[in-house]
Amino acid sequence: MKSSRKVLALLLALMMVLAFAACGPQKDPTPTPDPDASGGSDKTVTPDEISDVMDSADGRYEIAMVTDLAQLKDKAFNQGTWEGVKTYAYEHGKSYKYYQPANGSEATDSDRYDAFIAAINNGAKIIVVPGYGQYNALYQAATEHPEVSFVFIDGWDVGLDNVAGIFYHEEQSGFMAGYACVKDGMTKLGYSGGGGGSNPAISRSCYGFVQGANAAAAEMGVQVEMKISYLYGDSYSASDALQTQINGWYASGTEVVMSYGGKMCDSVFAAAAANNAYSIAGDVDQSGDSKTVITSALKGLGASVKLALSSYYDGNWDSIKGGTQLGIKEGAAGLPMATSRFETFSEADYEALVDAMISGELVVSADFEKFMAGEETFSNVTVNFIK
């Protein structure tokens, strides 16, 4: 494996690593928060030190999260969001509880709705909802219960005053990942996405990944080959079929594959390990889950959840209700340089990208429709959509 030569991470990367990374076993039981307390615990803890399950003194839980299709500990979207929820609740003395819709990956809108109603009946004042696929159930529950506020993570403005849609500039993190890999000497890349190609967030990520690879390749005067597939990502789950596909990619010369879609990453990690190759994770820092992970294209899930909850409890709900898009400027995009395993892509290279994006000198396009239709060409990247 390539060894990391990083000795100092950007403030952004450190904040995101602290928000998302698994930092050790649970040391102390989570105390029962007092919902009436003006503040929370003064002890600094990591998300893994906070119990996923707590006992509320009155049997009611005012902050709730309803999981998306995957399980709570999906090493991706649900987990990153939940870590933000329970960390905020712990720090501010609030009761919290998560709800998983019935039928797991086969959950229907009715199953999701039932989970929302269960949360409301158990005292939820605000419900955090990760995943755009929860829209129908969320909209019904939010319409029927205007007294409850909803944070729609990876969502949009649904036109209700009690819903805040939070979405991201995934194209920015995707760009950085593609750029860094090519700068590190890789010219045969792959991307395996979830949602069957219909998930806007994953489409933005993929489009950014290609743009970043193309920009680096143009600077270096090299040509890059890119395989892209959404074939086995409908359920955002690991599968033998997906692992077989990615194994074939590596066997034919692909050096690194970025996976974006929940537990799909497990299939990519396994294929990469079998071929002594590399992988890129999405949403949260997964460097500790596989030695093949060279970097992760981050979303500031925990940070944005904390922002939304703070706005609610500080009386600033109007500042986020509707739709809010977060990216590099808000610390909600980037790479975890402290745990990345690059050899030639340096801290200075990363800082230059961050500065250029924040200043507006570098603008990464999010208009992916033409690209996803296979109608866009690139100067230094040949894209092969595998359908």
PDB file of all heavy atoms in Angstrom, residues 20-56:
ATOM      1  N   PHE A  20     -16.937  12.692  11.964  1.00  0.00           N
ATOM      2  CA  PHE A  20     -17.397  11.449  11.358  1.00  0.00           C
ATOM      3  C   PHE A  20     -16.628  10.205  11.761  1.00  0.00           C
ATOM      4  O   PHE A  20     -17.128   9.093  11.728  1.00  0.00           O
ATOM      5  CB  PHE A  20     -17.327  11.548   9.820  1.00  0.00           C
ATOM      6  CG  PHE A  20     -18.059  12.727   9.276  1.00  0.00           C
ATOM      7  CD1 PHE A  20     -17.482  13.544   8.316  1.00  0.00           C
ATOM      8  CD2 PHE A  20     -19.337  13.028   9.725  1.00  0.00           C
ATOM      9  CE1 PHE A  20     -18.179  14.623   7.810  1.00  0.00           C
ATOM     10  CE2 PHE A  20     -20.027  14.107   9.219  1.00  0.00           C
ATOM     11  CZ  PHE A  20     -19.460  14.900   8.272  1.00  0.00           C
ATOM     12  N   ALA A  21     -15.341  10.346  12.086  1.00  0.00           N
ATOM     13  CA  ALA A  21     -14.524   9.137  12.211  1.00  0.00           C
ATOM     14  C   ALA A  21     -14.861   8.343  13.461  1.00  0.00           C
ATOM     15  O   ALA A  21     -15.262   8.880  14.478  1.00  0.00           O
ATOM     16  CB  ALA A  21     -13.037   9.527  12.242  1.00  0.00           C
ATOM     17  N   ALA A  22     -14.671   7.051  13.355  1.00  0.00           N
ATOM     18  CA  ALA A  22     -14.820   6.195  14.540  1.00  0.00           C
ATOM     19  C   ALA A  22     -13.523   6.248  15.319  1.00  0.00           C
ATOM     20  O   ALA A  22     -12.485   5.848  14.821  1.00  0.00           O
ATOM     21  CB  ALA A  22     -15.135   4.773  14.114  1.00  0.00           C
ATOM     22  N   CYS A  23     -13.587   6.740  16.548  1.00  0.00           N
ATOM     23  CA  CYS A  23     -12.353   7.022  17.272  1.00  0.00           C
ATOM     24  C   CYS A  23     -12.103   6.124  18.472  1.00  0.00           C
ATOM     25  O   CYS A  23     -11.187   6.369  19.235  1.00  0.00           O
ATOM     26  CB  CYS A  23     -12.357   8.483  17.718  1.00  0.00           C
ATOM     27  SG  CYS A  23     -12.420   9.638  16.345  1.00  0.00           S
ATOM     28  N   GLY A  24     -12.876   5.121  18.680  1.00  0.00           N
ATOM     29  CA  GLY A  24     -12.585   4.245  19.790  1.00  0.00           C
ATOM     30  C   GLY A  24     -13.829   3.633  20.359  1.00  0.00           C
ATOM     31  O   GLY A  24     -14.933   4.014  20.028  1.00  0.00           O
ATOM     32  N   PRO A  25     -13.685   2.682  21.248  1.00  0.00           N
ATOM     33  CA  PRO A  25     -14.834   2.009  21.842  1.00  0.00           C
ATOM     34  C   PRO A  25     -15.557   2.921  22.814  1.00  0.00           C
ATOM     35  O   PRO A  25     -15.003   3.893  23.319  1.00  0.00           O
ATOM     36  CB  PRO A  25     -14.189   0.834  22.568  1.00  0.00           C
ATOM     37  CG  PRO A  25     -12.816   1.316  22.896  1.00  0.00           C
ATOM     38  CD  PRO A  25     -12.403   2.170  21.743  1.00  0.00           C
ATOM     39  N   GLN A  26     -16.816   2.588  23.076  1.00  0.00           N
ATOM     40  CA  GLN A  26     -17.585   3.350  24.042  1.00  0.00           C
ATOM     41  C   GLN A  26     -16.953   3.184  25.417  1.00  0.00           C
ATOM     42  O   GLN A  26     -16.704   2.087  25.887  1.00  0.00           O
ATOM     43  CB  GLN A  26     -19.026   2.852  24.065  1.00  0.00           C
ATOM     44  CG  GLN A  26     -19.912   3.652  25.000  1.00  0.00           C
ATOM     45  CD  GLN A  26     -21.351   3.261  24.851  1.00  0.00           C
ATOM     46  OE1 GLN A  26     -21.806   3.000  23.747  1.00  0.00           O
ATOM     47  NE2 GLN A  26     -22.063   3.203  25.954  1.00  0.00           N
ATOM     48  N   LYS A  27     -16.725   4.329  26.087  1.00  0.00           N
ATOM     49  CA  LYS A  27     -16.058   4.288  27.384  1.00  0.00           C
ATOM     50  C   LYS A  27     -17.051   4.439  28.533  1.00  0.00           C
ATOM     51  O   LYS A  27     -16.901   3.826  29.576  1.00  0.00           O
ATOM     52  CB  LYS A  27     -15.001   5.399  27.464  1.00  0.00           C
ATOM     53  CG  LYS A  27     -13.867   5.228  26.459  1.00  0.00           C
ATOM     54  CD  LYS A  27     -12.876   6.372  26.559  1.00  0.00           C
ATOM     55  CE  LYS A  27     -11.750   6.216  25.555  1.00  0.00           C
ATOM     56  NZ  LYS A  27     -10.803   7.355  25.591  1.00  0.00           N
ATOM     57  N   ASP A  28     -18.016   5.334  28.389  1.00  0.00           N
ATOM     58  CA  ASP A  28     -18.952   5.607  29.454  1.00  0.00           C
ATOM     59  C   ASP A  28     -20.367   5.526  28.920  1.00  0.00           C
ATOM     60  O   ASP A  28     -20.614   5.886  27.775  1.00  0.00           O
ATOM     61  CB  ASP A  28     -18.731   7.022  30.022  1.00  0.00           C
ATOM     62  CG  ASP A  28     -17.325   7.193  30.557  1.00  0.00           C
ATOM     63  OD1 ASP A  28     -16.903   6.349  31.353  1.00  0.00           O
ATOM     64  OD2 ASP A  28     -16.671   8.164  30.159  1.00  0.00           O
ATOM     65  N   PRO A  29     -21.310   5.071  29.732  1.00  0.00           N
ATOM     66  CA  PRO A  29     -22.695   5.087  29.292  1.00  0.00           C
ATOM     67  C   PRO A  29     -23.165   6.519  29.103  1.00  0.00           C
ATOM     68  O   PRO A  29     -22.739   7.423  29.822  1.00  0.00           O
ATOM     69  CB  PRO A  29     -23.440   4.401  30.432  1.00  0.00           C
ATOM     70  CG  PRO A  29     -22.563   4.607  31.632  1.00  0.00           C
ATOM     71  CD  PRO A  29     -21.162   4.580  31.103  1.00  0.00           C
ATOM     72  N   THR A  30     -24.031   6.738  28.095  1.00  0.00           N
ATOM     73  CA  THR A  30     -24.552   8.074  27.866  1.00  0.00           C
ATOM     74  C   THR A  30     -25.512   8.450  28.978  1.00  0.00           C
ATOM     75  O   THR A  30     -26.446   7.714  29.267  1.00  0.00           O
ATOM     76  CB  THR A  30     -25.295   8.131  26.519  1.00  0.00           C
ATOM     77  OG1 THR A  30     -24.379   7.759  25.502  1.00  0.00           O
ATOM     78  CG2 THR A  30     -25.812   9.533  26.242  1.00  0.00           C
ATOM     79  N   PRO A  31     -25.322   9.586  29.633  1.00  0.00           N
ATOM     80  CA  PRO A  31     -26.243   9.982  30.691  1.00  0.00           C
ATOM     81  C   PRO A  31     -27.600  10.333  30.116  1.00  0.00           C
ATOM     82  O   PRO A  31     -27.712  10.705  28.958  1.00  0.00           O
ATOM     83  CB  PRO A  31     -25.559  11.222  31.292  1.00  0.00           C
ATOM     84  CG  PRO A  31     -24.742  11.783  30.176  1.00  0.00           C
ATOM     85  CD  PRO A  31     -24.268  10.578  29.393  1.00  0.00           C
ATOM     86  N   THR A  32     -28.634  10.231  30.949  1.00  0.00           N
ATOM     87  CA  THR A  32     -29.958  10.616  30.512  1.00  0.00           C
ATOM     88  C   THR A  32     -30.042  12.128  30.454  1.00  0.00           C
ATOM     89  O   THR A  32     -29.907  12.800  31.478  1.00  0.00           O
ATOM     90  CB  THR A  32     -31.031  10.092  31.479  1.00  0.00           C
ATOM     91  OG1 THR A  32     -30.918   8.675  31.533  1.00  0.00           O
ATOM     92  CG2 THR A  32     -32.415  10.481  31.015  1.00  0.00           C
ATOM     93  N   PRO A  33     -30.239  12.713  29.275  1.00  0.00           N
ATOM     94  CA  PRO A  33     -30.281  14.169  29.191  1.00  0.00           C
ATOM     95  C   PRO A  33     -31.522  14.718  29.873  1.00  0.00           C
ATOM     96  O   PRO A  33     -32.555  14.064  29.945  1.00  0.00           O
ATOM     97  CB  PRO A  33     -30.328  14.437  27.678  1.00  0.00           C
ATOM     98  CG  PRO A  33     -29.871  13.174  27.043  1.00  0.00           C
ATOM     99  CD  PRO A  33     -30.327  12.086  27.970  1.00  0.00           C
ATOM    100  N   ASP A  34     -31.395  15.925  30.353  1.00  0.00           N
ATOM    101  CA  ASP A  34     -32.533  16.642  30.904  1.00  0.00           C
ATOM    102  C   ASP A  34     -33.049  17.589  29.842  1.00  0.00           C
ATOM    103  O   ASP A  34     -32.378  18.576  29.508  1.00  0.00           O
ATOM    104  CB  ASP A  34     -32.098  17.418  32.150  1.00  0.00           C
ATOM    105  CG  ASP A  34     -33.230  18.255  32.733  1.00  0.00           C
ATOM    106  OD1 ASP A  34     -34.373  18.168  32.208  1.00  0.00           O
ATOM    107  OD2 ASP A  34     -32.970  18.994  33.692  1.00  0.00           O
ATOM    108  N   PRO A  35     -34.245  17.341  29.258  1.00  0.00           N
ATOM    109  CA  PRO A  35     -34.749  18.199  28.195  1.00  0.00           C
ATOM    110  C   PRO A  35     -34.901  19.651  28.608  1.00  0.00           C
ATOM    111  O   PRO A  35     -34.962  20.536  27.764  1.00  0.00           O
ATOM    112  CB  PRO A  35     -36.115  17.571  27.861  1.00  0.00           C
ATOM    113  CG  PRO A  35     -35.989  16.152  28.315  1.00  0.00           C
ATOM    114  CD  PRO A  35     -35.138  16.219  29.536  1.00  0.00           C
ATOM    115  N   ASP A  36     -34.964  19.918  29.898  1.00  0.00           N
ATOM    116  CA  ASP A  36     -35.145  21.285  30.359  1.00  0.00           C
ATOM    117  C   ASP A  36     -33.824  21.965  30.691  1.00  0.00           C
ATOM    118  O   ASP A  36     -33.805  23.126  31.113  1.00  0.00           O
ATOM    119  CB  ASP A  36     -36.038  21.311  31.604  1.00  0.00           C
ATOM    120  CG  ASP A  36     -37.439  20.796  31.290  1.00  0.00           C
ATOM    121  OD1 ASP A  36     -37.931  21.115  30.203  1.00  0.00           O
ATOM    122  OD2 ASP A  36     -38.023  20.088  32.136  1.00  0.00           O
ATOM    123  N   ALA A  37     -32.750  21.224  30.534  1.00  0.00           N
ATOM    124  CA  ALA A  37     -31.449  21.794  30.889  1.00  0.00           C
ATOM    125  C   ALA A  37     -31.070  22.899  29.928  1.00  0.00           C
ATOM    126  O   ALA A  37     -31.322  22.830  28.734  1.00  0.00           O
ATOM    127  CB  ALA A  37     -30.372  20.699  30.865  1.00  0.00           C
ATOM    128  N   SER A  38     -30.423  23.935  30.436  1.00  0.00           N
ATOM    129  CA  SER A  38     -30.002  25.043  29.575  1.00  0.00           C
ATOM    130  C   SER A  38     -28.796  24.663  28.763  1.00  0.00           C
ATOM    131  O   SER A  38     -28.523  25.242  27.721  1.00  0.00           O
ATOM    132  CB  SER A  38     -29.680  26.276  30.435  1.00  0.00           C
ATOM    133  OG  SER A  38     -28.666  25.971  31.376  1.00  0.00           O
ATOM    134  N   GLY A  39     -28.038  23.687  29.214  1.00  0.00           N
ATOM    135  CA  GLY A  39     -26.886  23.205  28.470  1.00  0.00           C
ATOM    136  C   GLY A  39     -26.791  21.714  28.616  1.00  0.00           C
ATOM    137  O   GLY A  39     -27.629  21.079  29.223  1.00  0.00           O
ATOM    138  N   GLY A  40     -25.760  21.114  28.045  1.00  0.00           N
ATOM    139  CA  GLY A  40     -25.596  19.669  28.120  1.00  0.00           C
ATOM    140  C   GLY A  40     -24.360  19.329  28.911  1.00  0.00           C
ATOM    141  O   GLY A  40     -23.914  20.063  29.774  1.00  0.00           O
ATOM    142  N   SER A  41     -23.796  18.181  28.580  1.00  0.00           N
ATOM    143  CA  SER A  41     -22.586  17.745  29.255  1.00  0.00           C
ATOM    144  C   SER A  41     -21.412  18.604  28.826  1.00  0.00           C
ATOM    145  O   SER A  41     -21.331  19.054  27.689  1.00  0.00           O
ATOM    146  CB  SER A  41     -22.307  16.285  28.905  1.00  0.00           C
ATOM    147  OG  SER A  41     -21.029  15.910  29.372  1.00  0.00           O
ATOM    148  N   ASP A  42     -20.486  18.839  29.762  1.00  0.00           N
ATOM    149  CA  ASP A  42     -19.287  19.594  29.413  1.00  0.00           C
ATOM    150  C   ASP A  42     -18.138  18.677  29.042  1.00  0.00           C
ATOM    151  O   ASP A  42     -17.024  19.117  28.828  1.00  0.00           O
ATOM    152  CB  ASP A  42     -18.885  20.530  30.555  1.00  0.00           C
ATOM    153  CG  ASP A  42     -18.616  19.781  31.857  1.00  0.00           C
ATOM    154  OD1 ASP A  42     -18.741  18.541  31.868  1.00  0.00           O
ATOM    155  OD2 ASP A  42     -18.289  20.449  32.859  1.00  0.00           O
ATOM    156  N   LYS A  43     -18.413  17.395  28.945  1.00  0.00           N
ATOM    157  CA  LYS A  43     -17.384  16.432  28.571  1.00  0.00           C
ATOM    158  C   LYS A  43     -17.283  16.331  27.058  1.00  0.00           C
ATOM    159  O   LYS A  43     -18.275  16.198  26.359  1.00  0.00           O
ATOM    160  CB  LYS A  43     -17.711  15.064  29.162  1.00  0.00           C
ATOM    161  CG  LYS A  43     -16.718  13.987  28.774  1.00  0.00           C
ATOM    162  CD  LYS A  43     -17.187  12.624  29.258  1.00  0.00           C
ATOM    163  CE  LYS A  43     -16.251  11.522  28.794  1.00  0.00           C
ATOM    164  NZ  LYS A  43     -16.757  10.180  29.167  1.00  0.00           N
ATOM    165  N   THR A  44     -16.053  16.415  26.556  1.00  0.00           N
ATOM    166  CA  THR A  44     -15.845  16.273  25.114  1.00  0.00           C
ATOM    167  C   THR A  44     -15.779  14.791  24.769  1.00  0.00           C
ATOM    168  O   THR A  44     -14.960  14.059  25.338  1.00  0.00           O
ATOM    169  CB  THR A  44     -14.539  16.969  24.687  1.00  0.00           C
ATOM    170  OG1 THR A  44     -14.627  18.357  25.011  1.00  0.00           O
ATOM    171  CG2 THR A  44     -14.329  16.803  23.192  1.00  0.00           C
ATOM    172  N   VAL A  45     -16.646  14.350  23.874  1.00  0.00           N
ATOM    173  CA  VAL A  45     -16.681  12.943  23.499  1.00  0.00           C
ATOM    174  C   VAL A  45     -16.699  12.823  21.978  1.00  0.00           C
ATOM    175  O   VAL A  45     -17.016  13.769  21.260  1.00  0.00           O
ATOM    176  CB  VAL A  45     -17.920  12.232  24.078  1.00  0.00           C
ATOM    177  CG1 VAL A  45     -17.887  12.226  25.597  1.00  0.00           C
ATOM    178  CG2 VAL A  45     -19.202  12.883  23.575  1.00  0.00           C
ATOM    179  N   THR A  46     -16.345  11.650  21.498  1.00  0.00           N
ATOM    180  CA  THR A  46     -16.468  11.345  20.085  1.00  0.00           C
ATOM    181  C   THR A  46     -17.815  10.660  19.861  1.00  0.00           C
ATOM    182  O   THR A  46     -18.407  10.125  20.802  1.00  0.00           O
ATOM    183  CB  THR A  46     -15.339  10.414  19.634  1.00  0.00           C
ATOM    184  OG1 THR A  46     -15.478   9.163  20.311  1.00  0.00           O
ATOM    185  CG2 THR A  46     -13.974  11.023  19.943  1.00  0.00           C
ATOM    186  N   PRO A  47     -18.317  10.626  18.616  1.00  0.00           N
ATOM    187  CA  PRO A  47     -19.606   9.983  18.365  1.00  0.00           C
ATOM    188  C   PRO A  47     -19.682   8.541  18.838  1.00  0.00           C
ATOM    189  O   PRO A  47     -20.717   8.102  19.337  1.00  0.00           O
ATOM    190  CB  PRO A  47     -19.740  10.083  16.841  1.00  0.00           C
ATOM    191  CG  PRO A  47     -18.995  11.319  16.484  1.00  0.00           C
ATOM    192  CD  PRO A  47     -17.811  11.331  17.413  1.00  0.00           C
ATOM    193  N   ASP A  48     -18.593   7.792  18.698  1.00  0.00           N
ATOM    194  CA  ASP A  48     -18.620   6.385  19.102  1.00  0.00           C
ATOM    195  C   ASP A  48     -18.713   6.213  20.607  1.00  0.00           C
ATOM    196  O   ASP A  48     -19.041   5.126  21.093  1.00  0.00           O
ATOM    197  CB  ASP A  48     -17.379   5.654  18.572  1.00  0.00           C
ATOM    198  CG  ASP A  48     -17.634   5.026  17.219  1.00  0.00           C
ATOM    199  OD1 ASP A  48     -18.652   5.383  16.598  1.00  0.00           O
ATOM    200  OD2 ASP A  48     -16.818   4.202  16.786  1.00  0.00           O
ATOM    201  N   GLU A  49     -18.402   7.252  21.372  1.00  0.00           N
ATOM    202  CA  GLU A  49     -18.503   7.177  22.827  1.00  0.00           C
ATOM    203  C   GLU A  49     -19.902   7.516  23.322  1.00  0.00           C
ATOM    204  O   GLU A  49     -20.177   7.411  24.514  1.00  0.00           O
ATOM    205  CB  GLU A  49     -17.485   8.122  23.463  1.00  0.00           C
ATOM    206  CG  GLU A  49     -16.049   7.691  23.240  1.00  0.00           C
ATOM    207  CD  GLU A  49     -15.059   8.681  23.823  1.00  0.00           C
ATOM    208  OE1 GLU A  49     -15.108   9.862  23.429  1.00  0.00           O
ATOM    209  OE2 GLU A  49     -14.241   8.284  24.670  1.00  0.00           O
ATOM    210  N   ILE A  50     -20.778   7.917  22.410  1.00  0.00           N
ATOM    211  CA  ILE A  50     -22.154   8.247  22.766  1.00  0.00           C
ATOM    212  C   ILE A  50     -23.047   7.089  22.351  1.00  0.00           C
ATOM    213  O   ILE A  50     -23.040   6.669  21.196  1.00  0.00           O
ATOM    214  CB  ILE A  50     -22.613   9.541  22.061  1.00  0.00           C
ATOM    215  CG1 ILE A  50     -21.669  10.695  22.402  1.00  0.00           C
ATOM    216  CG2 ILE A  50     -24.044   9.888  22.456  1.00  0.00           C
ATOM    217  CD1 ILE A  50     -21.936  11.954  21.593  1.00  0.00           C
ATOM    218  N   SER A  51     -23.804   6.573  23.271  1.00  0.00           N
ATOM    219  CA  SER A  51     -24.649   5.419  22.983  1.00  0.00           C
ATOM    220  C   SER A  51     -25.698   5.753  21.920  1.00  0.00           C
ATOM    221  O   SER A  51     -26.244   6.854  21.878  1.00  0.00           O
ATOM    222  CB  SER A  51     -25.356   4.968  24.262  1.00  0.00           C
ATOM    223  OG  SER A  51     -26.240   3.898  23.988  1.00  0.00           O
ATOM    224  N   ASP A  52     -25.963   4.764  21.059  1.00  0.00           N
ATOM    225  CA  ASP A  52     -27.022   4.936  20.065  1.00  0.00           C
ATOM    226  C   ASP A  52     -28.408   4.871  20.697  1.00  0.00           C
ATOM    227  O   ASP A  52     -29.387   5.351  20.125  1.00  0.00           O
ATOM    228  CB  ASP A  52     -26.914   3.850  18.980  1.00  0.00           C
ATOM    229  CG  ASP A  52     -25.681   4.015  18.119  1.00  0.00           C
ATOM    230  OD1 ASP A  52     -25.291   5.163  17.845  1.00  0.00           O
ATOM    231  OD2 ASP A  52     -25.093   2.984  17.725  1.00  0.00           O
ATOM    232  N   VAL A  53     -28.497   4.262  21.853  1.00  0.00           N
ATOM    233  CA  VAL A  53     -29.774   4.076  22.536  1.00  0.00           C
ATOM    234  C   VAL A  53     -29.681   4.708  23.916  1.00  0.00           C
ATOM    235  O   VAL A  53     -28.752   4.422  24.671  1.00  0.00           O
ATOM    236  CB  VAL A  53     -30.125   2.586  22.673  1.00  0.00           C
ATOM    237  CG1 VAL A  53     -31.441   2.414  23.416  1.00  0.00           C
ATOM    238  CG2 VAL A  53     -30.187   1.925  21.298  1.00  0.00           C
ATOM    239  N   MET A  54     -30.635   5.576  24.235  1.00  0.00           N
ATOM    240  CA  MET A  54     -30.661   6.197  25.551  1.00  0.00           C
ATOM    241  C   MET A  54     -32.027   5.989  26.206  1.00  0.00           C
ATOM    242  O   MET A  54     -33.015   5.676  25.527  1.00  0.00           O
ATOM    243  CB  MET A  54     -30.368   7.691  25.447  1.00  0.00           C
ATOM    244  CG  MET A  54     -31.443   8.489  24.727  1.00  0.00           C
ATOM    245  SD  MET A  54     -31.461  10.240  25.169  1.00  0.00           S
ATOM    246  CE  MET A  54     -31.968  10.145  26.878  1.00  0.00           C
ATOM    247  N   ASP A  55     -32.072   6.152  27.511  1.00  0.00           N
ATOM    248  CA  ASP A  55     -33.325   6.067  28.254  1.00  0.00           C
ATOM    249  C   ASP A  55     -33.719   7.470  28.691  1.00  0.00           C
ATOM    250  O   ASP A  55     -33.029   8.091  29.500  1.00  0.00           O
ATOM    251  CB  ASP A  55     -33.163   5.166  29.484  1.00  0.00           C
ATOM    252  CG  ASP A  55     -32.960   3.707  29.102  1.00  0.00           C
ATOM    253  OD1 ASP A  55     -33.601   3.265  28.135  1.00  0.00           O
ATOM    254  OD2 ASP A  55     -32.162   3.028  29.774  1.00  0.00           O
ATOM    255  N   SER A  56     -34.822   7.955  28.140  1.00  0.00           N
ATOM    256  CA  SER A  56     -35.317   9.267  28.513  1.00  0.00           C
ATOM    257  C   SER A  56     -36.042   9.176  29.851  1.00  0.00           C
ATOM    258  O   SER A  56     -36.779   8.222  30.122  1.00  0.00           O
ATOM    259  CB  SER A  56     -36.288   9.788  27.447  1.00  0.00           C
ATOM    260  OG  SER A  56     -36.924  10.966  27.884  1.00  0.00           O
TER     261      SER A  56
END
